[in-house]
Amino acid sequence: METIVVRVRRSLFAVPRDERGVETESRRGEHARRHRAWLRRARGPLSLVVLAALVTACGSASSPDTPSSPTRSTAPPSSSPAPDAGTSSEPPATSELTRDAQDAFKAAKAEHPGADLDQCTLTTPLDDTACGKAITAADQVASDTARRLREREPEHADLLYGAVLSAAAGFRDTLGPLRDTIPCYGLSDEPQPPPPLRAEAESICAEGADIAKTAWGIFLSQVEP
């Protein structure tokens, strides 16, 4: 508890003296009366200050770090927890449109195997045909998936399967630079660049293939379970 210091004027407790500086009985008695009167006046406010300090100290003793006493529950223990309505062991139902897209993709992938774009990395050589074949297969899968969905709903395919069709078209758009600008990974019959330009061409093809892989991942997110 903090120490409370009460300051008063020095003349309040000064011992009365006469003109020669000698204490007198009458003045000493007057000084005592003044002292007792001051104590009576100060006792009231001082008690309030002390009480407030005690309340503060008692409050701080019950800090959150102090564990409270356990409260006994009057309710009888439940024999078994109530089932949570939001928790179910069954997987969420798949919509019919989602199943249509998944089925179309599964059939297209079975017809055009080899769509593994992990064959293409940032260090894949410019004339790596394995990467080129994987890109070609992925192009065929995306195109065939879109075709099957459009055949299923010729009039409303864009409305019903818009996300899948947009993802397929977005992926196929990334393949143009790999075929036309530079003969990347055997995707075209154009002659290879001369040796002084080979490193730069290889870097451009690697960046293009990486962009295609990102677009392929977006497409897969729309059609894979």
Side-chain angles (χ1 to χ4, degrees):
M1 185 181 300
E2 298 181 359
T3 303
I4 301 174
V5 180
V6 181
R7 296 183 178 178
V8 297
R9 292 187 302 173
R10 184 179 183 84
S11 60
L12 180 64
F13 296 105
V15 179
R17 301 174 184 270
D18 58 11
E19 291 79 359
R20 296 172 297 174
V22 179
E23 297 182 14
T24 61
E25 291 296 334
S26 60
R27 293 186 178 183
R28 186 181 294 112
E30 181 184 357
H31 169 72
R33 286 194 299 273
R34 289 165 57 191
H35 190 187
R36 285 194 296 270
W38 182 89
L39 287 176
R40 285 194 298 270
R41 290 195 303 270
R43 186 175 291 115
L46 184 61
S47 299
L48 293 177
V49 173
V50 172
L51 179 61
L54 288 174
V55 171
T56 302
C58 293
S60 62
S62 301
S63 62
D65 296 335
T66 304
S68 57
S69 59
T71 303
R72 183 175 299 176
S73 174
T74 57
S78 176
S79 58
S80 60
D84 187 357
T87 303
S88 175
S89 58
E90 298 180 358
T94 304
S95 69
E96 183 178 352
L97 297 179
T98 301
R99 285 196 299 270
D100 291 345
Q102 292 174 353
D103 291 344
F105 169 71
K106 184 177 180 181
K109 189 176 180 181
E111 189 169 336
H112 307 285
D116 181 15
L117 295 193
D118 287 339
Q119 298 282 342
C120 306
T121 68
L122 293 177
T123 59
T124 300
L126 186 63
D127 54 357
D128 189 306
T129 57
C131 172
K133 291 179 181 179
I135 292 175
T136 299
D139 182 20
Q140 293 171 342
V141 170
S143 178
D144 196 16
T145 300
R147 178 186 62 81
R148 292 172 185 273
L149 292 177
R150 291 193 181 279
E151 289 178 353
R152 185 179 185 86
E153 292 288 345
E155 297 182 4
H156 307 292
D158 290 319
L159 179 63
L160 298 176
Y161 312 111
V164 178
L165 298 177
S166 295
F171 166 68
R172 300 192 69 203
D173 287 343
T174 65
L175 304 183
L178 295 177
R179 292 194 179 102
D180 302 331
T181 306
I182 301 174
C184 300
Y185 313 121
L187 293 175
S188 70
D189 296 331
E190 296 294 328
Q192 293 291 318
L197 300 178
R198 184 178 179 84
E200 183 178 357
E202 199 166 85
S203 175
I204 294 174
C205 289
E207 292 177 2
D210 193 57
I211 294 173
K213 288 175 67 175
T214 300
W216 176 249
I218 295 173
F219 170 71
L220 292 181
S221 69
Q222 298 292 330
V223 295
E224 285 188 331

